[in-house]
Amino acid sequence: MSINRPVNIGLIGAGRIGSFHAQSVARRLVDANLVAIADPAPGAAEKLAAELGAPNAYTSLSELLANRDIEGVVIATPARFHTNIVVEAAEAGKAVFCEKPMALTLEDADRAIAAARAGKVPLQVGFNRRWDQAFAEGRAAIDDGKIGSPQLIRSLTRDPGPFDADPAKIPQWTIFYETLIHDFDTLLWLNPGAKPVEVTAVADALVRPDFADKGFHDTAVVTVRFDNGSIAVAEANFCAMYGYDIRGEVFGSGGMVTMGDVRRSSMTLFDKNGVSNDTWRRDTDHFVHGYTAQLAAFVEAIRTGEVTGPTGEDARNALAIALACVGSVSERKTVKLIN
């Protein structure tokens, strides 16, 4: 399939990240049209569609999928709905971009992958760090052999504080399924060709210790061993008071690459109070290029039928580590992965 005109996109889910993706399609991509938005919350789709000039707004997913003008959908609903929507969209013949995580069980991941394969539609998953310039250049250096064989790999996510969410409303294991899932994909991507063989995880409620006995986790450290001998560490915390901190590092037999910086730029202020830097405070500011680039790649996948970004299989591989983390924390043991 090759399409020369702008591609028609429908958005499913008009929340925070969905609204940002809608803005990207409508205002940042020159070769895509935002033609429809669906959200079950009364007025949510209509309001966002009016702001962005999208001609169609629905409260029903089936109505959006029945729109024959739509060639691809961007799924940005709560995670528990992702798999069923991927399947319905694929069965309707729509190309699919799904926010992470694509699924919460391996069975659902397989179901989503199979639906896309049966429908012969592209399936891309939203691991936006791959599109960040620093991370992309780090992977290129690894591919070029500039650091030798990877030995130690690190990825971290520290969300900006203060933490003001209600822990009672956060699904259990969110720190693995929705936060560290990015880091798991990053570790796999920065160690090309290697497979994880065992996972050890520890987690606790250090930001909100009053919710520790309710199964809430806001802090975690994960160790992953790979079949090429390399060892990786991922860590997350929900409250970095100094800003939104996303970093990666790969140390190898011949050198090292580091990626990411909490500082907004290399500008440093020197004044009567000392030395200071402004820091990133929102993911949509830090990764605006990455978020846009991944949707541009999705549009190209619709044009060509070839997915160059993270696939359903990539999402399944990251999920396998997340599930192993849940088992490791629950049973206080190292979990071996079956490849």
Side-chain angles (χ1 to χ4, degrees), residues 91-103:
E91 290 176 345
K94 313 298 186 186
V96 177
F97 175 94
C98 183
E99 263 298 341
K100 54 74 193 171
M102 182 185 71

Side-chain angles (χ1 to χ4, degrees), residues 234-251:
E235 66 167 81
N237 184 281
F238 286 173
C239 186
M241 293 303 295
Y242 56 87
Y244 182 52
D245 192 359
I246 306 294
R247 283 176 282 149
E249 177 181 289
V250 183
F251 172 87

Side-chain angles (χ1 to χ4, degrees), residues 16 100 129 156-163 170 174-175 178-180 182-183 207 217-218 235-246 262 280-283 287:
R16 183 189 71 88
K100 54 74 193 171
R129 289 182 204 180
L156 67 83
T157 298
R158 297 175 185 166
D159 289 332
F163 178 76
I170 298 176
T174 287
I175 197 164
E178 300 193 44
T179 302
L180 279 163
H182 276 297
D183 300 273
V207 178
H217 300 97
D218 52 41
E235 66 167 81
N237 184 281
F238 286 173
C239 186
M241 293 303 295
Y242 56 87
Y244 182 52
D245 192 359
I246 306 294
V262 70
W280 297 109
R281 293 286 167 171
R282 298 188 303 177
D283 58 340
F287 289 115

Side-chain angles (χ1 to χ4, degrees), residues 124-293:
Q124 181 179 326
V125 181
F127 291 121
N128 59 285
R129 289 182 204 180
R130 296 191 184 200
W131 306 104
D132 178 76
Q133 181 177 350
F135 281 85
E137 290 179 354
R139 169 60 193 262
I142 294 167
D143 289 343
D144 289 343
K146 293 181 178 179
I147 67 161
S149 301
Q151 296 175 348
L152 297 172
I153 311 167
R154 185 184 183 209
S155 181
L156 67 83
T157 298
R158 297 175 185 166
D159 289 332
F163 178 76
D164 55 9
D166 181 356
K169 295 181 178 179
I170 298 176
Q172 191 177 21
W173 308 117
T174 287
I175 197 164
F176 297 126
Y177 286 136
E178 300 193 44
T179 302
L180 279 163
I181 197 81
H182 276 297
D183 300 273
F184 301 150
D185 178 71
T186 299
L187 296 178
L188 291 164
W189 182 62
L190 292 176
N191 198 4
K195 294 182 179 180
V197 295
E198 64 178 40
V199 174
T200 308
V202 293
D204 207 339
L206 303 183
V207 178
R208 288 295 304 269
D210 52 321
F211 274 80
D213 61 351
K214 298 178 177 65
F216 175 68
H217 300 97
D218 52 41
T219 306
V221 177
V222 179
T223 303
V224 183
R225 295 185 66 93
F226 287 87
D227 63 357
N228 65 351
S230 61
I231 303 170
V233 175
E235 66 167 81
N237 184 281
F238 286 173
C239 186
M241 293 303 295
Y242 56 87
Y244 182 52
D245 192 359
I246 306 294
R247 283 176 282 149
E249 177 181 289
V250 183
F251 172 87
S253 58
M256 178 178 70
V257 289
T258 64
M259 298 144 283
D261 195 336
V262 70
R263 298 174 299 175
R264 290 184 64 94
S265 74
S266 59
M267 190 281 284
T268 302
L269 173 64
F270 298 78
D271 64 7
K272 61 183 178 60
N273 297 314
V275 182
S276 63
N277 296 90
D278 285 337
T279 59
W280 297 109
R281 293 286 167 171
R282 298 188 303 177
D283 58 340
T284 49
D285 291 332
H286 190 331
F287 289 115
V288 61
H289 170 76
Y291 278 133
T292 305

